[in-house]
Amino acid sequence: MKRFPLLLAFVAASLVAQLSPQACAQATLTTFFTNGPTANRVNLVVLSEGYTASQMGQFLVDARNAVSNLLVTLPYREYSNYFNAFAISVASTQSGSDHQTPTVKLVDTYFNSTYDSYGLQRLITIPPNDWDSNYADGQGKVDALLQSLMPEYDLVILLVNDTQYGGSGGTTLVSSLNSSSAEIVRHESGHTFGGLTDEYSSAYPGWIESEYPNATAQTSRPLIKWGTWISPATPVPTPQTSSYALVVGLFQGAEYETTGWYRPKLDCKMNHLGTNFCEVCGEQLVKSTYLRINSIDSFSPVSTHVLVSSAQPVPFAAVPLQPATHTLAFRWFMDGTQVTGATNSTFSLQPQLFANGSHTLRAQVLDPTALVRSDPSNYLSNSVTWTVNISLSQMALTSPRVASGGRFAFSVTGSAPRGFVLQASTNLLSWSSLSTNLLSGGRADFTNSDPSGFRRRYYRAQAVP
């Protein structure tokens, strides 16, 4: 399936549509499912084109099927719980879509869709296109409805109520209801959602070749953008034979050119319908998903500026947005240094272990999926950072000395206006409270009255908050 030319997609995105309230009132929003807030989910929206008012029920059935068929496809399936799905129903006066060949058939539809765009019978587009340059007649209506009903959209599918094979992938993904509709939507999502190009080698007059995540003119192995997927044993360029059908390599033929341009795999959904996305295209779709969400769904404390004036442990947490079948990894950093063993979603800060003053605590959540091998921009990593200002009463244990009868003594000095709790431990992990005391003149003396208690080798004093 050929793409809606990107130049037109960029032009459409730069304009602003103005529709009357009455026009927007014709449309209704249906929620298929939500997995979380629209602000931190991939919001998939399906719009009706060429469905009459009496066909709106069928549109919702078709739209649900389009969503389901997309999200059972890898890599979408692995991140299906990152998605919300909606439908916008807006009636057309007549069913179907315009056709220009072999005979002209014009129908009155809401978004003015047409086959035969740019000389390709199967290319369905909406204005502005080569049949109608008026943005307001097509994409402008899409944009206005989205702004009115679902402004936090991420992937938009225009479902055309016509059974002839066709579609396109530009600002808005367009698909007919042909028997191959599910595959059309999957392929076109590679363009619209993932920024992938077609891997066809058939000529497309006027097409300007360019580098894409899945197409390159580079043949030097160290400079191939998907080089992390290519085994050292795989020759570059890679012979187009069955021996290399299952490996990632550098296969000639892409960007509508038979020579000089290369694709990652012998076959891929961006080359032929009915096959899977290759590893390189799948990686790009995963990264495109993370471009639209934050893997930290929430965190606490909500305020990222925390004042600590007590020696009591302070709990921190980062709640991850977990994929369908694997878990995200956690790292915690204190003042830029990774905390050994801190690999859970929660972290307990022990204030007495740090000097008074400002510190930074950072929780990092990252996706260790095998679907991604190269992520130089760290799309699969998100962090939240707290500024922690520790202000504890300053105390010190001083003057340790052995007393008579096997006893021992020391002094607590410093400032603790509400008093302090003396605690003891044998392992620095578990502490028990011995007594609560007041400082007199900035000092309190302690003598161990029970010689058998000498096994308690570690002591600390904590100010009462």
Side-chain angles (χ1 to χ4, degrees):
M1 183 61 57
K2 287 186 168 62
R3 253 178 328 167
F4 182 41
L6 291 179
L7 175 60
L8 294 179
F10 294 151
V11 171
S14 68
L15 300 174
V16 178
Q18 296 293 330
L19 289 187
S20 67
Q22 291 80 8
C24 287
Q26 298 174 18
T28 58
L29 178 71
T30 300
T31 300
F32 288 156
F33 61 82
T34 57
N35 282 305
T38 56
N40 195 39
R41 295 298 184 276
V42 180
N43 299 305
L44 199 165
V45 187
V46 186
L47 286 83
S48 60
E49 167 64 344
Y51 289 83
T52 64
S54 64
Q55 296 171 324
M56 286 295 101
Q58 185 59 48
F59 162 67
L60 292 178
V61 172
D62 295 338
R64 284 183 185 274
N65 288 337
V67 170
S68 298
N69 289 330
L70 179 64
L71 295 184
V72 296
T73 307
L74 278 175
Y76 294 113
R77 183 174 68 217
E78 183 64 17
Y79 297 93
S80 58
N81 54 330
Y82 284 22
F83 283 74
N84 295 332
F86 309 89
I88 294 178
S89 304
V90 58
S92 295
T93 302
Q94 296 177 298
S95 297
S97 181
D98 290 350
H99 293 260
Q100 311 297 335
T101 62
T103 58
V104 176
K105 175 190 173 184
L106 303 180
V107 294
D108 186 1
T109 61
Y110 191 79
F111 298 104
N112 298 287
S113 65
T114 182
Y115 286 77
D116 305 281
S117 300
Y118 304 96
L120 298 172
Q121 187 181 46
R122 63 183 182 176
L123 188 61
I124 311 173
T125 64
I126 58 176
N129 54 27
D130 57 336
W131 295 102
D132 180 353
S133 62
N134 191 351
Y135 162 79
D137 289 342
Q139 187 63 43
K141 293 180 179 180
V142 171
D143 293 343
L145 288 174
L146 292 170
Q147 289 301 321
S148 174
L149 299 174
M150 183 49 61
E152 291 181 299
Y153 64 90
D154 294 291
L155 175 58
V156 181
I157 300 172
L158 189 70
L159 209 55
V160 180
N161 187 21
D162 196 304
T163 58
Q164 182 171 312
Y165 183 91
S168 63
T171 302
T172 296
L173 188 163
V174 181
S175 175
S176 72
L177 289 182
N178 183 267
S179 59
S180 297
S181 175
E183 277 294 279
I184 294 171
V185 170
R186 292 165 182 150
H187 170 93
E188 301 300 351
S189 75
H191 299 312
T192 301
F193 188 72
L196 300 169
T197 190
D198 284 320
E199 297 177 7
Y200 310 143
S201 57
S202 55
Y204 185 2
W207 182 256
I208 300 175
E209 299 83 6
S210 182
E211 293 281 328
Y212 284 91
N214 61 325
T216 185
Q218 182 59 253
T219 58
S220 173
R221 186 185 288 267
L223 300 179
I224 299 171
K225 63 190 73 178
W226 56 81
T228 55
W229 288 97
I230 303 176
S231 168
T234 301
V236 171
T238 310
Q240 302 198 47
T241 65
S242 59
S243 299
Y244 297 99
L246 300 180
V247 304
V248 175
L250 192 72
F251 295 89
Q252 188 159 231
E255 279 291 83
Y256 309 101
E257 297 289 347
T258 57
T259 60
W261 285 86
Y262 300 84
R263 63 189 188 276
K265 207 163 185 181
L266 188 61
D267 207 0
C268 171
K269 198 178 294 294
M270 298 313 295
N271 193 3
H272 290 100
L273 302 187
T275 189
N276 298 323
F277 285 110
C278 74
E279 291 87 342
V280 173
C281 291
E283 178 179 81
Q284 179 63 20
L285 289 170
V286 173
K287 290 192 286 189
S288 294
T289 300
Y290 275 103
L291 274 172
R292 294 164 169 86
I293 61 97
N294 188 319
S295 56
I296 299 176
D297 222 11
S298 62
F299 55 85
S300 64
V302 175
S303 173
T304 56
H305 294 272
V306 179
L307 176 63
V308 178
S309 57
S310 165
Q312 296 301 313
V314 182
F316 291 82
V319 179
L321 178 55
Q322 295 285 10
T325 63
H326 71 276
T327 58
L328 303 182
F330 281 86
R331 296 173 182 170
W332 292 85
F333 297 82
M334 191 67 181
D335 293 330
T337 301
Q338 185 173 347
V339 181
T340 302
T343 57
N344 296 321
S345 61
T346 59
F347 181 81
S348 180
L349 176 68
Q350 306 292 329
Q352 71 276 9
L353 299 180
F354 302 95
N356 277 358
S358 182
H359 301 268
T360 58
L361 176 66
R362 180 168 66 94
Q364 181 190 36
V365 178
L366 52 107
D367 190 341
T369 177
L371 295 173
V372 176
R373 290 188 181 180
S374 177
D375 184 25
S377 298
N378 291 317
Y379 294 136
L380 276 63
S381 172
N382 291 115
S383 299
V384 57
T385 300
W386 292 270
T387 299
V388 182
N389 196 298
I390 297 176
S391 179
L392 300 182
S393 297
Q394 296 294 307
M395 290 184 293
L397 273 62
T398 63
S399 306
R401 53 200 179 274
V402 177
S404 62
R407 297 178 299 163
F408 63 95
F410 56 81
S411 300
V412 178
T413 60
S415 173
R418 298 176 182 271
F420 68 93
V421 178
L422 186 65
Q423 297 179 324
S425 172
T426 60
N427 57 12
L428 291 176
L429 297 176
S430 176
W431 294 85
S432 60
S433 297
L434 300 180
S435 61
T436 300
N437 308 274
L438 292 174
L439 292 173
S440 176
R443 178 187 176 106
D445 294 314
F446 172 79
T447 300
N448 181 22
S449 59
D450 180 8
S452 64
F454 188 73
R455 62 184 179 82
R456 296 176 179 250
R457 297 180 183 279
Y458 307 105
Y459 292 84
R460 70 182 184 186
Q462 291 190 331
V464 176

